[in-house]
């Protein structure tokens, strides 16, 4: 290995999502370590940067506007000029574009899947073609990194990739960093008078179910929504329709959500699908009570130490509450649990030891080992 080796890190954008945050953290940590290769970050779209890189990192921001085919052709041209030794990509579009660009080249491609992939495909002809298209490229990757055991299982079965090497590297967190950020400002609500939900306003996050369930729940707590996205207007209309204007608060995207999480009665999620839900892990590390849908994948691994089997009824997991996916009755019951101070205190005590479970050091060393393997041709 020599100092001329180049590692390119590729992602769709550095927007406000959890995968983007983890990607930026990885790039920044790699940049701060002593290494024998140089790194360049490539983003495929010109989206506003919400997860910044250190100033010393070389960043190429391309402009392919979410197009898979523009991304494939454009990234191919870019990488031919750069001549990297290794490409590491996050998220499906970047993964496909990176593997495509690697055809006929001398570099390895390590792709990382951060979501439960099958949940993004329907049953129609278009979805089946998209599945075959994606599988073709994933099958050609040199190494696949899954963010959770559930994502690994989903990739293996859904794409028929049981023969492929798929390694799991979970996301990382620092209790000290999160605790410090949680004290950076005061929130406008009295402590534990509100439930918080953090996530972009996409249909997969299922905010509409939360709002409808709040309308039926016997609870005086407010629901504070942190995030933004294409579903916001319809969700605001739903809130007005149900007469919940005083109980559902839209705060928009907040770069530092941790004071809201730390001062809440707890966190709730009704997602239809996840990969490894950062906000649930972060809330656990901050010692908060959590109610989450038992979607594929991640919540059950975090809250009950198991890959999701799909609970049929509300379940008291080891570290939090799991509810069936898309069940309004169970979501209502889950919201009402935020009234149970004895239950909340029990979970707050049980989860205290988790604060050091997902260290940055282990996350970084795991990726560094994979990078060294790829660069050495193992």
């Amino acid at each position: 290995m020599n100092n001329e080796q180049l590692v390119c890190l590729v992602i769709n954008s550095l927007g406000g999502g959890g995968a983007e945050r983890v990607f930026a953290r990885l790039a920044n940590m790699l940049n701060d370590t002593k290494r024998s290769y140089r790194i360049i970050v490539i983003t495929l779209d010109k989206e506003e940067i919400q997860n910044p890189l250190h100033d010393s990192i070389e960043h190429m921001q391309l402009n392919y506007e979410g197009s898979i085919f523009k991304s494939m052709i454009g990234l191919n041209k870019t990488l031919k000029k750069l001549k990297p030794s290794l490409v590491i990509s996050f998220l499906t579009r970047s993964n496909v574009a990176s593997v495509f660009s690697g055809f006929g080249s001398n570099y390895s491609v390590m792709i990382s899947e951060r979501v439960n992939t099958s949940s993004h495909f329907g049953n129609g002809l278009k979805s089946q073609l998209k599945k075959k298209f994606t599988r073709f490229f994933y099958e050609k990757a040199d190494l696949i990194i899954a963010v959770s055991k559930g994502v690994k299982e989903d990739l293996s079965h859904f794409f028929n990739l049981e023969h492929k090497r798929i390694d799991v590297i979970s996301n990382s967190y620092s209790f000290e960093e999160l605790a410090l950020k949680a004290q950076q400002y005061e929130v406008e609500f009295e402590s534990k008078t509100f439930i918080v939900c953090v996530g972009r306003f996409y249909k997969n996050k299922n905010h509409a179910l939360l709002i409808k369930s709040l309308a039926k729940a016997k609870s005086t707590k407010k629901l504070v929504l942190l995030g933004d996205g294409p579903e916001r207007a319809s969700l605001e209309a739903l809130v007005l329709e149900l007469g919940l204007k005083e109980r559902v608060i839209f705060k928009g995207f907040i770069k530092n959500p941790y004071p809201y999480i730390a001062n809440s009665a707890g966190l709730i999620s009704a997602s239809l699908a996840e990969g490894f839900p950062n906000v649930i892990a972060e809330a656990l590390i901050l010692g908060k009570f959590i109610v989450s849908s038992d979607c594929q994948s991640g919540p059950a691994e975090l809250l009950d130490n198991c890959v999701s089997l799909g609970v049929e009824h509300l379940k008291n997991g080891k570290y939090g509450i799991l509810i069936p996916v898309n069940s309004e009755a169970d979501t209502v019951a889950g919201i009402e649990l935020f009234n149970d101070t004895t239950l909340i205190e029990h979970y707050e005590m049980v989860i205290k030891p988790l604060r050091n479970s997902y260290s940055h050091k282990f996350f970084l060393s795991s990726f560094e080992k994979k990078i060294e393997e790829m660069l050495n041709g193992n």
Side-chain angles (χ1 to χ4, degrees), residues 186-249:
E186 293 185 3
V187 302
E188 64 269 40
F189 308 109
E190 188 178 339
S191 179
K192 298 198 173 185
T193 62
F194 64 97
I195 305 164
V196 69
C197 176
V198 185
R200 287 185 171 188
F201 294 147
Y202 292 140
K203 287 185 178 179
N204 236 17
K205 297 296 183 181
N206 214 11
H207 290 92
L209 177 70
L210 275 184
I211 293 167
K212 291 174 185 176
S213 300
L214 182 72
K216 295 183 178 181
K218 295 176 182 176
S219 173
T220 59
K221 289 184 168 53
K222 297 180 186 294
L223 175 63
V224 176
L225 303 177
L226 306 183
D228 219 329
E231 296 293 308
R232 178 164 179 167
S234 64
L235 292 171
E236 289 176 331
L238 178 62
V239 166
L240 292 176
E241 179 186 328
L242 296 175
L244 296 174
K245 189 176 180 182
E246 302 302 317
R247 294 185 61 200
V248 180
I249 314 299

Side-chain angles (χ1 to χ4, degrees), residues 111-113 117 138-139 141-169 370:
I111 66 174
S112 183
E113 189 53 77
T117 317
Y138 274 39
E139 205 276 335
D142 294 291
L143 176 63
I144 302 175
I145 302 294
V147 71
S148 67
K149 293 177 183 176
V151 168
K152 176 179 177 176
E153 287 191 4
D154 184 64
L155 284 168
S156 295
H157 302 324
F158 184 70
F159 285 124
N160 190 25
L161 294 174
E162 283 86 353
H163 62 290
K164 286 291 291 184
R165 177 183 168 189
I166 304 176
D167 293 348
V168 175
I169 302 178
K370 307 303 176 191

Side-chain angles (χ1 to χ4, degrees), residues 19-161:
E20 290 83 351
R21 184 162 67 252
V22 174
F23 176 91
R25 180 185 299 141
L26 174 62
N28 289 331
M29 287 194 297
L30 286 173
N31 186 62
D32 290 343
T33 60
K34 185 178 180 180
R35 53 195 156 71
S36 53
Y37 51 87
R38 108 181 211 257
I39 64 171
I40 292 179
V41 168
I42 301 172
T43 49
L44 300 180
D45 301 332
K46 274 197 174 177
E47 187 176 323
E48 182 181 354
I49 295 175
Q50 303 285 0
N51 289 287
L53 302 170
H54 293 169
D55 291 340
S56 57
I57 297 177
E58 187 175 347
H59 176 202
M60 298 180 67
Q61 193 172 24
L62 308 177
N63 188 22
Y64 300 133
E65 303 173 323
S67 166
I68 180 65
F69 295 110
K70 286 182 182 178
S71 299
M72 291 166 70
I73 301 303
L75 182 63
N76 184 37
K77 290 180 180 177
T78 299
L79 293 177
K80 278 185 177 178
K81 293 177 183 177
L82 292 174
K83 295 182 172 61
S85 300
L86 172 65
V87 173
I88 303 172
S89 60
F90 276 39
L91 300 177
T92 307
R93 176 160 56 98
S94 292
N95 291 341
V96 168
S98 295
V99 175
F100 171 79
S101 301
F103 290 165
S105 71
N106 293 322
Y107 58 83
S108 299
V109 179
M110 182 196 311
I111 66 174
S112 183
E113 189 53 77
R114 320 304 294 178
V115 299
N116 191 267
T117 317
S118 64
S119 65
H120 293 265
F121 291 81
N123 297 315
L125 178 61
K126 185 177 180 181
S127 291
Q128 291 305 308
L129 291 172
K130 185 180 176 184
K131 175 182 175 181
K132 289 181 179 179
F133 177 82
T134 305
R135 183 198 180 278
F136 174 82
F137 291 101
Y138 274 39
E139 205 276 335
K140 301 291 190 288
D142 294 291
L143 176 63
I144 302 175
I145 302 294
V147 71
S148 67
K149 293 177 183 176
V151 168
K152 176 179 177 176
E153 287 191 4
D154 184 64
L155 284 168
S156 295
H157 302 324
F158 184 70
F159 285 124
N160 190 25
L161 294 174

Side-chain angles (χ1 to χ4, degrees), residues 312-332:
E312 296 181 1
H313 306 286
L314 184 148
K315 178 186 178 183
N316 287 32
K318 189 173 181 180
Y319 302 119
I321 306 298
L322 293 167
I323 54 178
V325 175
N326 218 23
S327 167
E328 186 174 291
D330 288 288
T331 306
V332 170

